Amino acid sequence: MARPEQMDFLKTRVFSARNRHNLVRIDNLRTPGAQEDNLFESPEFDVLVSKLKKAKEDGRTITCFIGAHVIKCGLSRYLIWLMENGYITHLASNGAGSIHDFELAYLGGTSEYVPEAIEDGSFGMWEETGRWMNEAIQEGAREDLGYGESLYRYVQRNKSRFPYLDDCVFYRAWEMGVPMTYHVTIGTDIIDQHPIADFAAKGKTSGTDFKYFCRSVSLLDEGVHMNIGSAVTGAEVFLKALSIARNQGFPTYHITTANFDIIPLGDYRSDVAKDKYDYYYRPRKNVINRPTSKGGVGLYIYGHHEETIPSMYARLR
């Protein structure tokens, strides 16, 4: 049987990101305390804040999985504050989350204007982002590192390229001893378009990160897990990690889970039929309901990230 033809990535044209227009920049990141932060209220939010305070006081694990839009909403400094103050002990994200954070660290900006760039094939074809991140991942794979630590070590070795490290979430996380892991998919990220992309290295490093994440989830008893704006990857990765932890006998039943999003779910703890679109919204099942079916509490924080995360900071502070 004839094998299908592959695309030759070496023919792909790349461009410098230096003159690119960025929608998110270092100079428009939100700064904790610099504006009115206490914007959001709900009964579920009250419960979550109480559970976070108790978990911190008792030295329990607090895991958090974020979608890339948390970075794109300019909230990096809030994540850093939460880690610095013990309200996140393991932070995780998807591949896009790593890219936006990496670009802010070297370029001072991220989030290109996609509608125009996709028309001429320039979308995501950025030399610095694609080359440096792929170099980091490949070097890390050779050293048996995870994806997140690979980025951190690469930045350490090339600090002169990265003038904005104070606001780099993965760099600050690893500096303070908080694991920052990335759980990626092949073909979803702009660095996959670069001519030097090595998908075996990407898979190996992200696989190592999954093992780190599973270990943290195994220690979640009496702790808290937050899924902030990751409707697919975060929900699926958490459920698999929790299954592995329980399979190996770790007591992970007295946990609090909270999903942050803008999808109206109504009575989100009730059963929903398969003929309703709500049934197929993964966080409802995989973050809120199934993990807490034998104990604990599952919460839905319904609101925009720009309101919920700063308000969480204000309440915890």
Side-chain angles (χ1 to χ4, degrees):
M1 184 179 69
R3 301 185 70 183
E5 186 176 350
Q6 296 184 20
M7 183 69 84
D8 182 359
F9 280 24
L10 294 177
K11 296 179 180 179
T12 301
R13 295 175 296 118
V14 293
F15 313 93
S16 174
R18 296 298 183 183
N19 297 316
R20 188 184 73 191
H21 175 67
N22 299 294
L23 303 177
V24 181
R25 305 182 309 276
I26 288 292
D27 63 2
N28 64 20
L29 295 185
R30 294 175 61 107
T31 299
Q35 59 277 309
E36 179 59 49
D37 286 319
N38 199 7
L39 305 171
F40 180 84
E41 295 181 359
S42 76
E44 291 90 347
F45 198 58
D46 294 340
V47 173
L48 175 61
V49 168
S50 175
K51 293 288 189 179
L52 285 168
K53 289 181 176 180
K54 184 70 165 60
K56 178 189 173 180
E57 290 170 3
D58 294 345
R60 302 296 184 177
T61 296
I62 303 173
T63 55
C64 180
F65 200 112
I66 62 166
H69 270 79
V70 178
I71 303 293
K72 290 181 67 174
C73 288
L75 299 170
S76 299
R77 292 167 184 166
Y78 289 91
L79 296 172
I80 292 167
W81 186 91
L82 290 166
M83 292 188 290
E84 285 178 328
N85 289 273
Y87 292 110
I88 296 176
T89 64
H90 185 132
L91 184 59
S93 188
N94 54 20
S98 71
I99 291 166
H100 290 307
D101 199 22
F102 190 92
E103 288 193 330
L104 281 169
Y106 86 81
L107 189 61
T110 190
S111 188
E112 62 189 289
Y113 187 60
V114 178
E116 290 182 358
I118 195 63
E119 292 175 351
D120 63 4
S122 63
F123 165 60
M125 302 299 182
W126 308 113
E127 167 65 2
E128 297 88 351
T129 305
R131 182 168 299 279
W132 294 348
M133 289 191 71
N134 276 298
E135 286 177 350
I137 292 163
Q138 291 163 32
E139 290 172 11
R142 289 192 290 270
E143 299 173 25
D144 294 324
L145 303 179
Y147 185 116
E149 189 176 3
S150 297
L151 297 184
Y152 169 66
R153 299 295 179 192
Y154 185 86
V155 168
Q156 274 193 321
R157 291 191 287 262
N158 300 278
K159 273 192 174 181
S160 63
R161 297 178 182 175
F162 299 92
Y164 305 105
L165 290 179
D166 285 349
D167 293 314
C168 180
V169 178
F170 71 76
Y171 185 81
R172 295 293 301 277
W174 283 97
E175 283 284 284
M176 65 181 82
V178 175
M180 174 90 214
T181 57
Y182 293 101
H183 307 268
V184 304
T185 306
I186 301 298
T188 57
D189 304 320
I190 63 168
I191 62 172
D192 297 349
Q193 304 169 185
H194 196 276
I196 71 164
D198 182 336
F199 303 115
K202 189 182 184 188
K204 179 182 179 181
T205 54
S206 188
T208 297
D209 272 4
F210 180 56
K211 293 179 180 178
Y212 290 150
F213 186 70
C214 288
R215 176 56 180 166
S216 292
V217 169
S218 76
L219 304 174
L220 261 182
D221 211 46
E222 304 295 342
V224 178
H225 174 70
M226 296 180 285
N227 183 68
I228 306 178
S230 183
V232 178
T233 303
E236 295 294 349
V237 169
F238 174 64
L239 195 69
K240 276 64 173 187
L242 187 64
S243 181
I244 291 171
R246 290 177 176 176
N247 175 275
Q248 295 192 15
F250 289 93
T252 56
Y253 296 99
H254 298 96
I255 63 176
T256 299
T257 63
N259 186 67
F260 292 62
D261 212 340
I262 56 173
I263 304 294
L265 294 181
D267 181 10
Y268 57 86
R269 292 193 181 95
S270 64
D271 289 334
V272 61
K274 290 184 178 180
D275 62 344
K276 306 296 184 183
Y277 73 87
D278 285 353
Y279 178 86
Y280 301 95
Y281 178 62
R282 288 168 174 83
R284 178 182 183 135
K285 297 177 290 183
N286 293 3
V287 176
I288 301 170
N289 294 331
R290 287 172 175 168
T292 59
S293 62
K294 294 187 70 175
V297 59
L299 304 166
Y300 185 49
I301 310 301
Y302 173 47
H304 289 277
H305 301 325
E306 298 96 319
E307 296 179 357
T308 57
I309 296 177
S311 296
M312 181 163 58
Y313 152 78
R315 293 282 297 277
L316 293 172
R317 181 197 59 187

